[in-house]
Amino acid sequence: MIILGIESSCDETAASLVKNGREILTNVVASSAELHQKTGGIIPEVAAREQLRCIIPVINEAIGDNIKKIDAIAITVGPGLIGSLLVGVETAKTLSFSLSIPIIPVNHLKAHLYANFLIEGNGESVTPQFPAIGLVVSGGHTDLVLIKDHHLFEHIGSTRDDAAGECFDKVARLLELGYPGGPAIAKIAETGDSSSYKLPHPMIDQDNYDFSFSGLKTAVLNLVKKEEKINRPSLAASLQQTIANVLLNKLEKAVSHYRPKSILLAGGVTANKTLRETIEKKYKNKHIDLFIPPLKLCTDNATYVASCAYYNQNPLPLAKIIANPGLAINEVIE
Ligand code: KG4
Ligand code: ZN
């Protein structure tokens, strides 16, 4: 079965063909990040206008001459920016109608986790086993889920305020490093010392699976105001190690309580080397399968949208395919 995935929830416009939920045939991503560098963050109208401009070329490139082989269209319906979501949703509905192909609505946050089911080239062919603990760390969300099966996602924790990615982006703006903040912080952190600045580890002593990252951003702000000579590489290194420690702490709480067979990480922030290494080190010799997507599949793209639709085949009539900016990770689309 070949599924055409379409993704436009934030500042990327992406389309992909995936076979049987695992094999990536094509993967095309257009990003408007450069446009947002001038403003230090996304302006929703600018993102949506750019997506409108490039969605058809992106889909055309992903389909190539395979149009007759497509069995279904998978479309991200939320969460995300309303203007951006509408561009993808309305395009996907039009395609579904004109080609008479079923359309499957997809939850962007849940879909991120399916990056762990995909195979690239001669890559890993181990499949995640359930129950699994999933940790989605993206620009707008930080969510822990217990995955009992493809249709059984139990939400066990999330951020009470800023997402981890948001913390990276806001601190990068503060340090005048540009947008997107995560890669910029990671870059300058390479020459820094992560033990230089003692930053708070919000909520790690609390017996729950929730996070809080806004205090961390404020702590950095106070440091920058107070200290005359800030060592930016060391501050960046300390920040990313702190974020990695907090994420690992809550992940480990969930793992020791639920005893899953697999751990699935996903979301743009999982591209962070320090985070990957911190978590890899912890589970290296444990009897648990840890899945971290290849770098290219961490940030937004349409491959995992197609994969998620394959494993959750719930085609709906066009009238029920509706953009939903506030969709929660465990919300059923019906
Ligand atoms: O999943 P994603 O591509 O989009 C959303 O669904 O939000 O995540 C984007 C987030 C941004 O906050 C970006 O700064 C962060 O992922 N990010 C990183 C890295 N690459 C992207 N954060 C830390 N280190 C990175 N290497
Ligand atoms: Zn995302």
Side-chain angles (χ1 to χ4, degrees):
M1 180 181 197
I2 293 181
I3 297 186
L4 166 67
I6 300 176
E7 157 66 44
S8 71
S9 63
C10 194
D11 60 340
E12 272 87 14
T13 312
S16 169
L17 288 183
V18 174
K19 190 174 172 187
N20 296 333
R22 303 203 67 191
E23 194 185 328
I24 300 172
L25 304 180
T26 61
N27 177 16
V28 183
V29 183
S31 169
S32 59
E34 256 178 46
L35 286 178
H36 308 303
Q37 271 162 10
K38 290 180 219 139
T39 42
I42 299 175
I43 297 186
E45 286 76 11
V46 174
R49 232 176 290 140
E50 186 61 12
Q51 285 165 317
L52 202 52
R53 201 179 62 78
C54 61
I55 191 142
I56 300 292
V58 164
I59 293 175
N60 269 339
E61 191 181 333
I63 295 179
D65 50 15
N66 292 310
I67 199 154
K68 295 228 164 69
K69 297 187 190 149
I70 301 170
D71 298 295
I73 295 171
I75 176 67
T76 297
V77 294
L81 303 168
I82 183 65
S84 297
L85 287 168
L86 280 171
V87 173
V89 167
E90 296 310 315
T91 310
K93 284 165 82 169
T94 309
L95 264 181
S96 159
F97 178 73
S98 57
L99 300 172
S100 301
I101 301 176
I103 183 165
I104 301 170
V106 171
N107 181 318
H108 177 80
L109 295 173
K110 178 172 175 174
H112 259 298
L113 291 162
Y114 283 83
N116 294 298
F117 284 79
L118 292 157
I119 309 163
E120 274 200 310
N122 301 322
E124 285 273 323
S125 61
V126 183
T127 319
Q129 299 296 306
F130 300 133
I133 288 290
L135 174 61
V136 182
V137 207
S138 73
H141 298 83
T142 310
D143 285 308
L144 261 172
V145 279
L146 170 64
I147 311 165
K148 292 180 176 158
D149 204 337
H150 291 291
H151 307 276
L152 279 176
F153 272 55
E154 216 173 278
H155 192 204
I156 57 172
S158 60
T159 181
R160 302 257 176 104
D161 39 59
D162 290 355
E166 207 172 341
C167 184
F168 271 109
D169 294 335
K170 286 179 175 170
V171 170
R173 201 181 314 162
L174 198 76
L175 300 179
E176 296 174 350
L177 296 174
Y179 175 87
I185 297 255
K187 177 113 197 36
I188 69 156
E190 279 169 15
T191 56
D193 172 4
S194 64
S195 60
S196 298
Y197 292 94
K198 298 277 167 277
L199 296 169
H201 288 62
M203 294 181 73
I204 61 163
D205 296 326
Q206 292 186 17
D207 198 15
N208 56 37
Y209 308 113
D210 287 340
F211 306 88
S212 164
F213 290 104
S214 85
L216 198 48
K217 168 201 65 193
T218 312
V220 173
L221 177 66
N222 290 340
L223 261 174
V224 172
K225 276 189 188 157
K226 202 174 79 193
E227 293 199 14
E228 250 173 46
K229 254 186 157 243
I230 276 285
N231 182 328
R232 294 197 315 164
S234 290
L235 184 54
S238 305
L239 176 80
Q240 64 176 4
Q241 189 59 62
T242 303
I243 291 177
N245 293 348
V246 171
L247 290 168
L248 173 62
N249 174 283
K250 295 291 174 149
L251 173 65
E252 175 51 21
K253 273 198 175 91
V255 167
S256 44
H257 180 78
Y258 291 104
R259 308 229 159 256
K261 290 186 180 147
S262 319
I263 298 171
L264 313 185
L265 300 192
V269 179
T270 347
N272 187 271
K273 195 163 162 250
T274 300
L275 175 63
R276 296 169 84 93
E277 287 174 359
T278 303
I279 294 181
E280 266 162 4
K281 195 166 146 210
K282 173 78 186 176
Y283 296 104
K284 201 169 169 197
N285 297 315
K286 302 271 162 66
H287 294 289
I288 188 158
D289 284 328
L290 171 66
F291 292 83
I292 307 181
L295 284 183
K296 183 163 104 194
L297 300 184
C298 290
T299 45
D300 286 351
N301 68 83
T303 59
Y304 54 68
V305 175
S307 173
C308 182
Y310 176 83
Y311 289 104
N312 299 268
Q313 290 181 29
N314 62 329
L316 289 183
L318 289 181
K320 293 210 160 183
I321 308 288
I322 298 165
N324 182 354
L327 194 68
I329 191 164
N330 58 333
E331 220 171 303
V332 179
I333 310 166
E334 51 193 6

